[in-house]
């Protein structure tokens, strides 16, 4: 027990130190909506499989998407998992186009068995990322006789992070349940600057910020395994995330070149959505697994800050309202294959992965309801997991997970100048690297 206590304390300190380095590296105008670009909670082992996770159950992987999987860890193993990504993206919005290269911290987590049938995990994950900067210069103003042009700049920064502790319990051989208890924290800042070539026309600066966002999160998971025969089985996975109010104030500030700054503040401006996920995974021996997931996040039911123009011609009021975001739906499929888990050659233990997904985004770029098309995103991925030989023991050897993802996203919006439908599109190539340490920390204690 004393040794377990030391391990828990050491791991918590390690996660706390990593949280200080948890900076977002996304650079995309796609992140200007809502809380930004949402993380898919995928880890190194399943990034190459389209993020499929609900039915995945392996004692050598940390599957945070379904905490019921934590109970699969064996009594001798402690896992540590770290991941990062490199991006190369191309973004288009009307006449604007930008290429960007970025890097980001993905996750850090640890996992071990606390008691018979009970696994414990903790770590830090990005919940959302905001980072963009783009501008347009010398835009001709239609209907004005003089050659007056406008220039504008949009920029944003911030995001939310999730620190969690969770546990999974195998109630009986086929059934496990689990939970993640988390603290969600972060901030965001969106800025807009508009200026004109004619000095007599006032320039405008406007910003939307939130500095003190914070709340708890509770995720529940269940897994049920059905043996089809001695070589094949199915695992059903279900998870639910609780939706509720969030603490935090939203601020809008506006200033012009000939006036001071005005500020509007909304208290308790945010909510988290109720989220549901279900998945089914097929296993053949220890060589092949194929899974499919469906996820729904009810963002249309949450409050979020917005400005509303008065029908009497008054100024735009700043308030928090529902219906500003779309429900997010995602379908994922993926598989991995190990040639021979019991073979003696190195290549027999390399895991090959492939997957893809299609998602309806929660972003809403047209608050007027003029645009009927909904934003969407899809991606394909492939990856390889290379074991690092550890005392000639293949089962719990450390692994390097390397995956490559290609993603396309499309957000339709109403162009304020042309009054016609336009699209914000994004294509990026993402290289993900995850390192999983698997150590038999409890082996000596068990022998004694």
């Amino acid at each position: 027990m004393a040794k377990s206590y030391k391990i828990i304390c050491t791991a918590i300190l390690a996660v706390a130190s990593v949280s200080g380095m948890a900076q977002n590296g996304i650079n995309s105008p796609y992140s200007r909506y809502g809380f930004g670009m949402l993380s898919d909670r995928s880890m190194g082992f399943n990034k190459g499989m389209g993020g499929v996770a609900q039915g995945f159950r392996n004692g050598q992987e940390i599957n945070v998407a379904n905490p019921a999987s934590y109970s699969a860890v064996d009594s001798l193993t402690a896992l540590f998992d770290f991941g990062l990504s490199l991006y190369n993206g191309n973004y288009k919005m009307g006449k604007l186009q930008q290429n960007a290269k970025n890097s980001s911290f993905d996750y850090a987590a640890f996992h071990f068995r606390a008691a018979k049938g009970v696994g414990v995990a903790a770590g830090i994950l990005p919940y959302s990322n905001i980072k963009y900067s783009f501008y347009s210069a010398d835009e001709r103003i239609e209907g004005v006789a003089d050659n007056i042009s406008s220039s504008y700049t949009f920029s944003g920064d911030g995001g939310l992070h999730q620190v969690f502790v969770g546990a999974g319990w195998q109630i009986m051989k086929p059934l496990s349940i689990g939970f993640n208890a988390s603290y969600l924290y972060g901030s965001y800042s969106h800025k807009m600057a508009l200026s004109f070539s004619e000095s007599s026309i006032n320039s405008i600066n406007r910003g939307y910020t939130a500095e003190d966002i914070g709340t708890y999160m509770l995720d529940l998971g269940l897994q049920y395994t059905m043996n089809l025969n001695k070589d094949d089985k199915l695992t059903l996975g279900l998870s639910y995330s609780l939706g509720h109010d969030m603490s935090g104030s939203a601020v809008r500030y506006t200033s012009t070149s000939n006036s001071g700054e005005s500020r509007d503040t909304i208290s308790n401006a945010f909510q988290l959505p109720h989220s549901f996920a279900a998945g089914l995974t097929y296993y053949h021996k220890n060589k092949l697994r194929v899974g499919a997931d469906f996820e729904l996040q009810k963002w249309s039911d949450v409050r979020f800050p917005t400005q509303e123009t008065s029908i009497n011609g008054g100024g735009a009021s700043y308030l928090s309202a529902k219906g500003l975001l779309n429900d997010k739906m995602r379908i994922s499929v993926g598989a991995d294959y190990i040639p021979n888990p019991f073979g003696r050659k190195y290549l027999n233990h390399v895991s090959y992965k492939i997957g893809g997904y299609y998602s309806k985004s929660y972003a809403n770029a047209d608050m007027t309801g003029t645009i009927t098309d909904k934003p969407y995103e899809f991606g394909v991925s492939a990856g390889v997991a290379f074991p690092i030989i550890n005392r000639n023991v293949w089962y719990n050897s450390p692994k390097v997970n390397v995956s490559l993802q290609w993603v396309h996203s499309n957000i339709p919006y109403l162009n304020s100048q042309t009054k016609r439908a336009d699209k914000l599109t994004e294509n990026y190539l993402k290289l993900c690297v995850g390192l999983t340490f698997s150590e038999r920390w409890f082996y000596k204690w068990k022998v004694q």
Side-chain angles (χ1 to χ4, degrees), residues 141 148-151 192-206 254-260:
I141 301 178
I148 298 177
S149 62
S150 64
S151 301
M192 183 275 290
L194 174 63
S195 60
F196 301 90
S197 59
E198 174 57 54
S199 59
S200 62
I201 304 177
N202 293 328
S203 61
I204 301 173
N205 290 280
R206 175 167 290 172
T254 305
S255 64
T256 62
S257 54
N258 69 341
S259 66

Side-chain angles (χ1 to χ4, degrees), residues 41-58 60-66 69-70 79 81-83 107 223 281 283 289 334-336 351-354 381-385 399-403 432-436:
R41 290 190 175 187
S42 59
M43 309 291 279
F45 79 92
N46 64 339
K47 285 185 179 294
M49 294 184 280
V52 174
Q54 289 301 315
F56 280 6
R57 181 175 178 80
N58 185 328
Q60 292 298 303
E61 297 165 349
I62 308 178
N63 181 9
V64 300
N66 191 330
S69 65
Y70 299 156
L79 300 176
D81 204 350
F82 304 87
Y107 61 87
Q223 289 184 329
T281 300
Y283 296 82
R289 59 180 171 178
D336 66 347
S351 177
Y352 302 92
K353 308 170 185 287
I354 191 169
S381 58
V384 181
K399 292 182 175 63
V400 177
N401 286 281
V402 181
S403 63
C432 309
V433 180
L435 180 59
T436 303

Side-chain angles (χ1 to χ4, degrees), residues 338-350 387 389 392-394:
I338 302 175
N340 185 0
F342 304 104
R344 301 184 63 181
K345 295 182 179 179
Y346 178 82
L347 292 180
N348 287 334
H349 298 268
V350 175
I389 298 176
N392 295 317
V393 178
W394 290 106

Side-chain angles (χ1 to χ4, degrees), residues 182-185 212-217 244-247 272:
S182 310
Y183 178 69
L184 187 69
Y185 67 95
D212 55 351
I213 300 175
T215 190
Y216 71 92
M217 291 181 65
H244 55 83
D245 293 343
M246 303 173 64
S247 63
L272 280 178

Side-chain angles (χ1 to χ4, degrees), residues 320-343:
S320 181
K322 295 184 178 182
L324 302 174
L325 301 170
N326 299 314
D327 290 339
K328 179 181 178 180
M329 292 180 287
R330 176 181 169 119
I331 299 174
S332 308
V333 294
D336 66 347
Y337 174 75
I338 302 175
N340 185 0
F342 304 104

Side-chain angles (χ1 to χ4, degrees), residues 5-133:
Y5 176 77
K6 292 179 181 178
I7 292 170
I8 295 173
C9 293
T10 302
I12 290 175
L13 289 174
V15 169
S17 65
V18 171
S19 67
M21 303 184 296
Q23 303 294 324
N24 74 74
I26 304 295
N27 186 2
S28 167
Y30 187 54
S31 67
R32 65 186 294 225
Y33 304 104
F35 286 118
M37 295 181 66
L38 299 179
S39 170
D40 60 4
R41 290 190 175 187
S42 59
M43 309 291 279
F45 79 92
N46 64 339
K47 285 185 179 294
M49 294 184 280
V52 174
Q54 289 301 315
F56 280 6
R57 181 175 178 80
N58 185 328
Q60 292 298 303
E61 297 165 349
I62 308 178
N63 181 9
V64 300
N66 191 330
S69 65
Y70 299 156
S71 63
V73 67
D74 66 45
S75 61
L76 305 180
T77 302
L79 300 176
F80 294 85
D81 204 350
F82 304 87
L84 57 87
S85 295
L86 304 175
Y87 297 78
N88 187 359
N90 174 264
Y91 318 108
K92 294 181 181 180
M93 185 176 183
K95 297 179 181 179
L96 305 178
Q97 184 172 185
Q98 177 178 317
N99 295 316
K101 295 182 179 180
N102 308 285
S103 61
S104 69
F105 162 81
D106 285 344
Y107 61 87
F110 77 99
H111 183 201
F112 70 97
R113 186 174 118 164
K116 184 178 181 180
V118 178
V120 174
I124 181 170
L125 304 166
Y127 184 85
S128 68
N129 290 303
I130 300 173
K131 185 72 175 181
Y132 64 90
S133 178

Side-chain angles (χ1 to χ4, degrees), residues 145-314:
D146 297 330
N147 293 324
I148 298 177
S149 62
S150 64
S151 301
Y152 59 84
T153 301
F154 294 93
S155 62
D157 190 42
L160 303 179
H161 301 285
Q162 176 186 355
V163 177
F164 73 93
V165 176
W169 175 34
Q170 189 174 37
I171 301 175
M172 58 186 71
K173 190 170 184 180
L175 179 64
S176 293
I177 59 174
F179 74 91
N180 282 328
S182 310
Y183 178 69
L184 187 69
Y185 67 95
S187 63
Y188 68 71
S189 173
H190 300 281
K191 299 178 182 179
M192 183 275 290
L194 174 63
S195 60
F196 301 90
S197 59
E198 174 57 54
S199 59
S200 62
I201 304 177
N202 293 328
S203 61
I204 301 173
N205 290 280
R206 175 167 290 172
Y208 304 88
T209 64
E211 300 294 339
D212 55 351
I213 300 175
T215 190
Y216 71 92
M217 291 181 65
L218 180 62
D219 306 316
L220 306 175
L222 178 148
Q223 289 184 329
Y224 185 84
T225 300
M226 299 162 281
N227 291 317
L228 304 178
N229 52 56
K230 67 175 183 178
D231 294 329
D232 304 288
K233 62 182 179 181
L234 291 173
T235 297
L236 171 68
L238 303 172
S239 65
Y240 165 73
S241 297
L242 179 65
H244 55 83
D245 293 343
M246 303 173 64
S247 63
S249 300
V251 177
R252 178 187 67 176
Y253 62 86
T254 305
S255 64
T256 62
S257 54
N258 69 341
S259 66
E261 181 181 279
S262 63
R263 300 176 71 88
D264 301 286
T265 301
I266 308 172
S267 300
N268 301 318
F270 308 99
Q271 287 181 314
L272 280 178
H274 294 281
S275 300
F276 311 86
L280 190 65
T281 300
Y282 163 76
Y283 296 82
H284 176 66
K285 297 184 178 179
N286 292 317
K287 300 175 63 173
L288 173 69
R289 59 180 171 178
V290 181
D293 286 356
F294 173 79
E295 182 182 12
L296 172 63
Q297 298 179 0
K298 295 291 292 179
W299 286 98
S300 63
D301 295 336
V302 307
R303 293 195 312 270
F304 202 80
T306 185
Q307 60 182 20
E308 186 176 82
T309 304
S310 171
I311 59 175
N312 297 321

